[in-house]
Structure formats: C-alpha cells, structure tokens
Short mmCIF file of all heavy atoms in Angstrom, two decimals:
data_model
loop_
_atom_site.label_atom_id
_atom_site.label_comp_id
_atom_site.label_asym_id
_atom_site.label_seq_id
_atom_site.Cartn_x
_atom_site.Cartn_y
_atom_site.Cartn_z
N LEU E 1 0.85 -1.19 0.00
CA LEU E 1 0.00 0.00 0.00
C LEU E 1 0.88 1.23 0.00
O LEU E 1 1.90 1.28 0.69
CB LEU E 1 -0.93 0.02 1.22
CG LEU E 1 -1.89 -1.16 1.37
CD1 LEU E 1 -2.87 -0.90 2.51
CD2 LEU E 1 -2.64 -1.46 0.08
N GLY E 2 0.49 2.21 -0.78
CA GLY E 2 1.26 3.45 -0.87
C GLY E 2 0.48 4.60 -0.27
O GLY E 2 -0.69 4.45 0.05
N PRO E 3 1.12 5.75 -0.11
CA PRO E 3 2.49 6.06 -0.53
C PRO E 3 3.52 5.48 0.45
O PRO E 3 3.16 4.88 1.46
CB PRO E 3 2.50 7.58 -0.50
CG PRO E 3 1.50 7.96 0.54
CD PRO E 3 0.43 6.90 0.47
N VAL E 4 4.81 5.68 0.14
CA VAL E 4 5.86 5.19 1.03
C VAL E 4 5.71 5.85 2.40
O VAL E 4 5.13 6.93 2.53
CB VAL E 4 7.28 5.45 0.46
CG1 VAL E 4 7.53 4.62 -0.78
CG2 VAL E 4 7.54 6.92 0.21
N ARG E 5 6.25 5.19 3.41
CA ARG E 5 6.18 5.67 4.79
C ARG E 5 7.57 5.84 5.36
O ARG E 5 8.56 5.46 4.74
CB ARG E 5 5.41 4.67 5.66
CG ARG E 5 3.93 4.62 5.31
CD ARG E 5 3.18 3.98 6.44
NE ARG E 5 1.74 3.99 6.21
CZ ARG E 5 0.87 3.44 7.02
NH1 ARG E 5 1.29 2.82 8.11
NH2 ARG E 5 -0.41 3.49 6.77
N ASN E 6 7.65 6.36 6.57
CA ASN E 6 8.94 6.54 7.23
C ASN E 6 9.57 5.20 7.60
O ASN E 6 10.79 5.07 7.63
CB ASN E 6 8.80 7.39 8.49
CG ASN E 6 8.46 8.82 8.17
OD1 ASN E 6 8.79 9.32 7.10
ND2 ASN E 6 7.78 9.50 9.08
N ALA E 7 8.74 4.20 7.94
CA ALA E 7 9.25 2.89 8.34
C ALA E 7 8.43 1.80 7.66
O ALA E 7 7.23 1.95 7.44
CB ALA E 7 9.17 2.74 9.85
N THR E 8 9.09 0.70 7.35
CA THR E 8 8.42 -0.45 6.75
C THR E 8 7.60 -1.19 7.80
O THR E 8 8.05 -1.38 8.93
CB THR E 8 9.46 -1.39 6.10
OG1 THR E 8 10.07 -0.66 5.01
CG2 THR E 8 8.85 -2.67 5.58
N GLN E 9 6.39 -1.58 7.42
CA GLN E 9 5.47 -2.27 8.34
C GLN E 9 4.70 -3.33 7.57
O GLN E 9 4.14 -3.04 6.51
CB GLN E 9 4.51 -1.24 8.94
CG GLN E 9 3.43 -1.81 9.83
CD GLN E 9 2.62 -0.68 10.47
OE1 GLN E 9 3.10 0.05 11.30
NE2 GLN E 9 1.37 -0.55 10.04
N VAL E 10 4.66 -4.54 8.11
CA VAL E 10 3.92 -5.66 7.53
C VAL E 10 2.71 -5.90 8.43
O VAL E 10 2.86 -6.10 9.63
CB VAL E 10 4.79 -6.93 7.44
CG1 VAL E 10 4.00 -8.10 6.88
CG2 VAL E 10 6.04 -6.67 6.61
N GLU E 11 1.50 -5.88 7.85
CA GLU E 11 0.27 -6.09 8.61
C GLU E 11 -0.37 -7.39 8.16
O GLU E 11 -0.78 -7.52 7.00
CB GLU E 11 -0.70 -4.92 8.42
CG GLU E 11 -0.17 -3.62 8.98
CD GLU E 11 -1.16 -2.47 8.84
OE1 GLU E 11 -2.38 -2.70 9.04
OE2 GLU E 11 -0.71 -1.36 8.53
N ILE E 12 -0.44 -8.36 9.09
CA ILE E 12 -1.01 -9.67 8.80
C ILE E 12 -1.95 -10.06 9.94
O ILE E 12 -1.92 -9.47 11.02
CB ILE E 12 0.08 -10.74 8.59
CG1 ILE E 12 0.97 -10.88 9.84
CG2 ILE E 12 0.90 -10.43 7.36
CD1 ILE E 12 2.05 -11.95 9.72
N SER E 13 -2.78 -11.05 9.69
CA SER E 13 -3.66 -11.55 10.74
C SER E 13 -2.87 -12.51 11.65
O SER E 13 -1.77 -12.96 11.30
CB SER E 13 -4.85 -12.28 10.13
OG SER E 13 -4.44 -13.52 9.58
N LEU E 14 -3.44 -12.84 12.79
CA LEU E 14 -2.78 -13.79 13.69
C LEU E 14 -2.70 -15.18 13.06
O LEU E 14 -1.72 -15.89 13.26
CB LEU E 14 -3.50 -13.82 15.04
CG LEU E 14 -3.44 -12.50 15.82
CD1 LEU E 14 -4.25 -12.59 17.11
CD2 LEU E 14 -2.00 -12.09 16.12
N THR E 15 -3.71 -15.54 12.27
CA THR E 15 -3.66 -16.82 11.54
C THR E 15 -2.51 -16.80 10.54
O THR E 15 -1.75 -17.78 10.44
CB THR E 15 -4.99 -17.10 10.82
OG1 THR E 15 -6.03 -17.19 11.80
CG2 THR E 15 -4.94 -18.38 10.01
N ASP E 16 -2.36 -15.69 9.81
CA ASP E 16 -1.23 -15.55 8.88
C ASP E 16 0.09 -15.72 9.61
O ASP E 16 0.99 -16.43 9.14
CB ASP E 16 -1.23 -14.15 8.23
CG ASP E 16 -2.29 -13.95 7.17
OD1 ASP E 16 -2.88 -14.95 6.70
OD2 ASP E 16 -2.52 -12.78 6.82
N ALA E 17 0.22 -15.06 10.76
CA ALA E 17 1.48 -15.10 11.51
C ALA E 17 1.83 -16.53 11.91
O ALA E 17 2.97 -16.98 11.74
CB ALA E 17 1.37 -14.20 12.75
N ARG E 18 0.85 -17.26 12.45
CA ARG E 18 1.09 -18.65 12.83
C ARG E 18 1.46 -19.50 11.62
O ARG E 18 2.33 -20.36 11.70
CB ARG E 18 -0.14 -19.23 13.53
CG ARG E 18 -0.23 -18.88 15.00
CD ARG E 18 -1.30 -19.66 15.73
NE ARG E 18 -2.65 -19.30 15.33
CZ ARG E 18 -3.31 -18.23 15.76
NH1 ARG E 18 -2.74 -17.41 16.61
NH2 ARG E 18 -4.53 -17.98 15.35
N SER E 19 0.79 -19.27 10.50
CA SER E 19 1.00 -20.14 9.34
C SER E 19 2.41 -20.00 8.75
O SER E 19 2.92 -20.96 8.19
CB SER E 19 -0.06 -19.90 8.27
OG SER E 19 0.13 -18.68 7.62
N ILE E 20 3.03 -18.83 8.85
CA ILE E 20 4.40 -18.69 8.31
C ILE E 20 5.46 -18.62 9.41
O ILE E 20 6.65 -18.47 9.12
CB ILE E 20 4.53 -17.48 7.34
CG1 ILE E 20 4.31 -16.15 8.04
CG2 ILE E 20 3.62 -17.67 6.14
CD1 ILE E 20 4.73 -14.94 7.21
N GLY E 21 5.05 -18.72 10.68
CA GLY E 21 6.02 -18.79 11.77
C GLY E 21 6.67 -17.47 12.13
O GLY E 21 7.90 -17.40 12.30
N VAL E 22 5.87 -16.42 12.23
CA VAL E 22 6.39 -15.12 12.68
C VAL E 22 5.58 -14.62 13.86
O VAL E 22 4.44 -15.06 14.08
CB VAL E 22 6.38 -14.05 11.56
CG1 VAL E 22 7.25 -14.47 10.39
CG2 VAL E 22 4.97 -13.74 11.10
N SER E 23 6.15 -13.71 14.60
CA SER E 23 5.45 -13.04 15.70
C SER E 23 4.78 -11.79 15.13
O SER E 23 5.39 -11.06 14.35
CB SER E 23 6.46 -12.64 16.78
OG SER E 23 5.84 -11.82 17.74
N ALA E 24 3.53 -11.56 15.52
CA ALA E 24 2.80 -10.37 15.06
C ALA E 24 1.97 -9.84 16.23
O ALA E 24 0.79 -10.16 16.37
CB ALA E 24 1.92 -10.68 13.87
N PRO E 25 2.59 -9.03 17.11
CA PRO E 25 1.83 -8.50 18.23
C PRO E 25 0.72 -7.57 17.73
O PRO E 25 0.85 -6.95 16.69
CB PRO E 25 2.87 -7.72 19.04
CG PRO E 25 3.98 -7.42 18.08
CD PRO E 25 3.97 -8.54 17.07
N VAL E 26 -0.39 -7.53 18.48
CA VAL E 26 -1.50 -6.65 18.13
C VAL E 26 -1.10 -5.23 18.51
O VAL E 26 -0.86 -4.94 19.68
CB VAL E 26 -2.80 -7.08 18.84
CG1 VAL E 26 -3.93 -6.09 18.52
CG2 VAL E 26 -3.19 -8.49 18.44
N ARG E 27 -1.01 -4.37 17.51
CA ARG E 27 -0.53 -3.00 17.71
C ARG E 27 -1.28 -2.04 16.82
O ARG E 27 -1.81 -2.41 15.78
CB ARG E 27 0.95 -2.88 17.32
CG ARG E 27 1.92 -3.77 18.06
CD ARG E 27 2.41 -3.10 19.31
NE ARG E 27 3.41 -3.87 20.01
CZ ARG E 27 4.72 -3.83 19.77
NH1 ARG E 27 5.20 -3.06 18.82
NH2 ARG E 27 5.54 -4.55 20.50
N GLU E 28 -1.25 -0.76 17.21
CA GLU E 28 -1.73 0.30 16.32
C GLU E 28 -0.68 0.49 15.23
O GLU E 28 0.52 0.29 15.45
CB GLU E 28 -1.93 1.61 17.09
CG GLU E 28 -3.19 1.63 17.92
CD GLU E 28 -3.50 3.01 18.44
OE1 GLU E 28 -3.61 3.94 17.62
OE2 GLU E 28 -3.62 3.16 19.66
N SER E 29 -1.14 0.89 14.06
CA SER E 29 -0.24 1.15 12.95
C SER E 29 0.82 2.16 13.37
O SER E 29 0.51 3.15 14.02
CB SER E 29 -1.03 1.70 11.76
OG SER E 29 -0.18 1.90 10.67
N GLY E 30 2.06 1.87 13.02
CA GLY E 30 3.17 2.75 13.36
C GLY E 30 3.87 2.37 14.64
O GLY E 30 5.02 2.77 14.88
N ASP E 31 3.25 1.57 15.50
CA ASP E 31 3.84 1.14 16.78
C ASP E 31 4.58 -0.18 16.53
O ASP E 31 4.07 -1.26 16.81
CB ASP E 31 2.75 0.97 17.84
CG ASP E 31 3.31 0.52 19.19
OD1 ASP E 31 4.55 0.52 19.36
OD2 ASP E 31 2.49 0.16 20.05
N ILE E 32 5.79 -0.07 15.97
CA ILE E 32 6.49 -1.27 15.55
C ILE E 32 7.69 -1.62 16.43
O ILE E 32 8.29 -2.68 16.23
CB ILE E 32 6.94 -1.17 14.07
CG1 ILE E 32 7.88 0.01 13.86
CG2 ILE E 32 5.73 -1.11 13.15
CD1 ILE E 32 8.56 0.03 12.50
N ALA E 33 8.04 -0.80 17.41
CA ALA E 33 9.20 -1.09 18.25
C ALA E 33 9.03 -2.45 18.92
O ALA E 33 8.02 -2.72 19.56
CB ALA E 33 9.37 0.00 19.30
N GLY E 34 10.01 -3.33 18.72
CA GLY E 34 9.97 -4.65 19.35
C GLY E 34 8.95 -5.59 18.75
O GLY E 34 8.66 -6.64 19.33
N SER E 35 8.40 -5.27 17.57
CA SER E 35 7.41 -6.15 16.93
C SER E 35 8.12 -7.26 16.17
O SER E 35 9.33 -7.40 16.22
CB SER E 35 6.49 -5.32 16.02
OG SER E 35 7.24 -4.69 15.00
N GLY E 36 7.34 -8.07 15.43
CA GLY E 36 7.87 -9.25 14.77
C GLY E 36 8.82 -8.96 13.62
O GLY E 36 8.91 -7.84 13.11
N SER E 37 9.53 -10.01 13.22
CA SER E 37 10.50 -9.90 12.13
C SER E 37 10.16 -10.90 11.02
O SER E 37 9.44 -11.88 11.25
CB SER E 37 11.91 -10.17 12.66
OG SER E 37 11.99 -11.48 13.19
N CYS E 38 10.67 -10.64 9.83
CA CYS E 38 10.49 -11.52 8.68
C CYS E 38 11.49 -11.13 7.61
O CYS E 38 12.25 -10.18 7.78
CB CYS E 38 9.06 -11.43 8.13
SG CYS E 38 8.69 -9.86 7.33
N LYS E 39 11.48 -11.86 6.51
CA LYS E 39 12.29 -11.48 5.35
C LYS E 39 11.34 -11.01 4.25
O LYS E 39 10.29 -11.61 4.04
CB LYS E 39 13.13 -12.65 4.85
CG LYS E 39 13.97 -12.26 3.66
CD LYS E 39 15.04 -13.22 3.17
CE LYS E 39 14.89 -14.64 3.39
NZ LYS E 39 15.97 -15.43 2.73
N LEU E 40 11.70 -9.94 3.56
CA LEU E 40 10.97 -9.44 2.41
C LEU E 40 11.83 -9.67 1.17
O LEU E 40 13.02 -9.34 1.18
CB LEU E 40 10.65 -7.95 2.55
CG LEU E 40 9.84 -7.53 3.77
CD1 LEU E 40 9.66 -6.01 3.80
CD2 LEU E 40 8.49 -8.23 3.79
N VAL E 41 11.23 -10.22 0.11
CA VAL E 41 11.97 -10.51 -1.11
C VAL E 41 11.26 -9.83 -2.29
O VAL E 41 10.08 -10.04 -2.52
CB VAL E 41 12.06 -12.03 -1.36
CG1 VAL E 41 12.86 -12.30 -2.64
CG2 VAL E 41 12.68 -12.74 -0.17
#
C-alpha cells in the first residue's frame, strides 16, 4: 500500500502469523518497536 512511509510495516492476521512462523503483536499502525521480524523478497 502506498504512498511510502517513514518505516516499513507488515500487517497480517494472527492466523497468517502462525502459518508462516512469525510473531505479530496486536498493535496500532506505526507502533512497531519490538514487533515481529520476517524477510521481504
């Protein structure tokens, strides 16, 4: 989704997070400190 932002953010459901093995804490958009990690290709 555009336009570009100050920081990269991936928004997925909790089911999505479990299915690919990542952590996705429930947060407001932009509150990413200490949130989950992944690889983007």
Side-chain angles (χ1 to χ4, degrees):
L1 300 188
V4 293
R5 291 198 176 177
N6 292 333
T8 295
Q9 175 175 292
V10 178
E11 295 183 39
I12 59 178
S13 72
L14 295 176
T15 298
D16 285 345
R18 278 190 291 281
S19 73
I20 65 167
V22 299
S23 171
V26 177
R27 301 272 184 87
E28 283 191 56
S29 183
D31 180 10
I32 60 170
S35 61
S37 61
C38 69
K39 180 170 27 175
L40 301 178
V41 181

